[in-house]
């Protein structure tokens, strides 16, 4: 059960640190290399052991960060250097100590070189990842701009269609008004003609009806207003006709 609980935690830790930043590991290994060089340059066994121990401490501190950094070659070299340095504590002469320290120094130097390689590699990966993200963001922004332009074009087209429909509606209404006015005028003229023919039969030529439709512009009026206007005129025309017929009887 503990193993099952530990696996998700380790996996999450790897996701968080991943290839990670190798700067901490590099700092520890550089310190270890500096101490082991001081140990090799020491003139007595006491100083040699002191600096060798300092190097051991720095290597131990570097091991966890090296694992997080995922730089296996540097870790292997650091472990080999550590195996040599821990043996220094048991030596009794400076020459014996320098034997281990010299080999550890060379391995420590190589570990520093390897951790630098890992640092550069990770940095390149981060740059590549950043570049990929930048490109993805640029493409997304480009798509958004294209969609915005398309939306604006559609809105403009919709406005044009709306304006055209309104214009067509106005034109259709104007035409309907003209047709209605024309029909009313035909009815009025037809009535006047019929009324006058009847008046002529009763020898009332002096009482003939003339058109009662003034030259009025009704284009700005509503359909209902036009109907009301002409119905009123037709009523007046009919009243005038009836009055003239009454005169004919006299």
């Amino acid at each position: 059960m503990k193993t099952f609980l530990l696996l998700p935690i380790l996996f999450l830790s790897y996701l968080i640190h991943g290839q990670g930043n190798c700067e901490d590991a590099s700092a520890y290994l550089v310190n270890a290399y500096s101490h082991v060089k001081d140990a090799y340059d020491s003139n007595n066994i006491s100083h040699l052991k002191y600096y060798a121990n300092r190097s051991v401490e720095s290597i131990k501190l570097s091991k966890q960060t090296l694992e997080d950094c995922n730089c296996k070659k540097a870790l292997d070299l650091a472990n080999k250097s550590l195996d040599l340095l821990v043996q220094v504590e048991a030596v009794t002469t400076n020459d014996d100590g320098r034997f281990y320290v010299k080999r550890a120094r060379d391995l420590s130097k190589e570990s520093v070189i390897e951790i630098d390689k890992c640092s550069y590699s990770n940095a390149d990966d981060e740059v590549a990842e950043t570049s990929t993200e930048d490109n993805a963001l640029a493409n997304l922004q480009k798509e958004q701009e294209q969609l915005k332009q398309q939306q604006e074009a559609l809105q403009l087209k919709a406005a044009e269609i709306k304006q055209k429909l309104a214009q067509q509606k106005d034109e259709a209404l104007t035409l309907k008004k003209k047709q209605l006015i024309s029909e009313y005028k035909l009815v009025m003229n037809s009535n006047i003609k019929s009324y006058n023919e009847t008046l002529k039969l009763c020898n009332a030529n002096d009482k003939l009806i003339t058109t009662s439709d003034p030259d009025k512009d009704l284009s700005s009026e509503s359909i209902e207003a036009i109907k009301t206007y002409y119905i009123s005129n037709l009523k007046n025309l009919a009243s005038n006709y009836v009055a003239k017929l009454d005169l004919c009887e006299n």
Side-chain angles (χ1 to χ4, degrees):
M1 179 63 71
K2 290 182 179 180
T3 302
F4 290 128
L5 290 175
L6 183 59
L7 286 175
I9 295 174
L10 292 175
F11 181 68
L12 179 60
S13 176
Y14 178 78
L15 288 178
I16 294 173
H17 297 289
Q19 293 296 321
N21 195 324
C22 297
E23 291 181 358
D24 290 340
S26 177
Y28 288 132
L29 290 181
V30 168
N31 284 338
Y33 177 56
S34 177
H35 293 318
V36 78
K37 285 201 308 177
D38 289 340
Y40 183 76
D41 294 335
S42 297
N43 296 323
N44 58 72
I45 188 65
S46 177
H47 285 171
L48 184 145
K49 287 184 177 183
Y50 170 77
Y51 286 115
N53 186 58
R54 292 286 303 277
S55 184
V56 167
E57 293 174 353
S58 294
I59 291 174
K60 287 181 178 179
L61 290 172
S62 74
K63 289 182 67 174
Q64 181 60 49
T65 52
L66 278 170
E67 291 174 357
D68 293 341
C69 179
N70 197 26
C71 194
K72 186 177 184 303
K73 194 167 183 179
L75 178 59
D76 291 342
L77 290 167
N79 282 331
K80 290 178 180 179
S81 179
L82 181 62
D83 291 341
L84 291 168
L85 289 172
V86 294
Q87 299 183 57
V88 172
E89 188 63 29
V91 301
T92 56
T93 66
N94 199 53
D95 288 339
D96 290 340
R98 282 167 61 86
F99 170 77
Y100 292 110
V101 167
K102 181 179 184 301
R103 294 173 62 190
R105 181 195 63 180
D106 295 340
L107 291 169
S108 183
K109 180 179 180 180
E110 291 180 26
S111 71
V112 172
I113 293 173
E114 289 301 322
I115 193 66
D116 285 344
K117 289 181 181 178
C118 288
S119 297
Y120 289 133
S121 176
N122 288 344
D124 290 341
D125 291 342
E126 290 176 1
V127 170
E129 183 178 354
T130 300
S131 178
T132 300
E133 291 175 353
D134 289 344
N135 289 336
L137 180 59
N139 290 334
L140 180 59
Q141 290 175 338
K142 184 177 180 181
E143 290 177 4
Q144 289 177 336
E145 183 62 28
Q146 289 176 344
L147 289 174
K148 183 179 179 181
Q149 292 176 356
Q150 291 174 0
Q151 183 181 21
E152 291 175 350
L154 288 173
Q155 291 175 342
L156 180 61
K157 187 67 176 178
E160 291 177 353
I161 292 174
K162 185 177 180 180
Q163 182 179 4
K164 188 173 182 179
L165 288 173
Q167 182 178 354
Q168 290 176 345
K169 185 177 180 180
D170 289 341
E171 291 175 353
L173 181 60
T174 299
L175 180 60
K176 185 176 180 179
K177 289 178 182 180
K178 288 181 178 179
Q179 290 176 339
L180 184 63
I181 292 171
S182 178
E183 289 172 358
Y184 271 116
K185 284 184 176 182
L186 286 174
V187 170
M188 288 185 66
N189 290 333
S190 176
N191 286 353
I192 291 172
K193 182 177 179 182
S194 176
Y195 294 161
N196 285 338
E197 287 178 353
T198 302
L199 291 172
K200 287 178 182 179
L201 289 176
C202 65
N203 297 319
N205 291 334
D206 58 337
K207 297 180 177 63
L208 296 180
I209 300 172
T210 59
T211 180
S212 62
D213 181 26
D215 189 13
K216 183 177 180 181
D217 184 11
L218 299 174
S219 59
S220 61
E221 300 292 337
S222 67
I223 294 293
E224 293 302 320
I226 293 173
K227 288 181 179 179
T228 300
Y229 172 79
Y230 278 105
I231 289 174
S232 176
N233 273 269
L234 285 170
K235 287 180 178 179
N236 291 333
L237 183 64
S239 297
N240 187 23
Y241 170 64
V242 171
K244 290 183 180 292
L245 281 179
D246 290 340
L247 294 174
C248 285
E249 292 180 354
N250 298 326

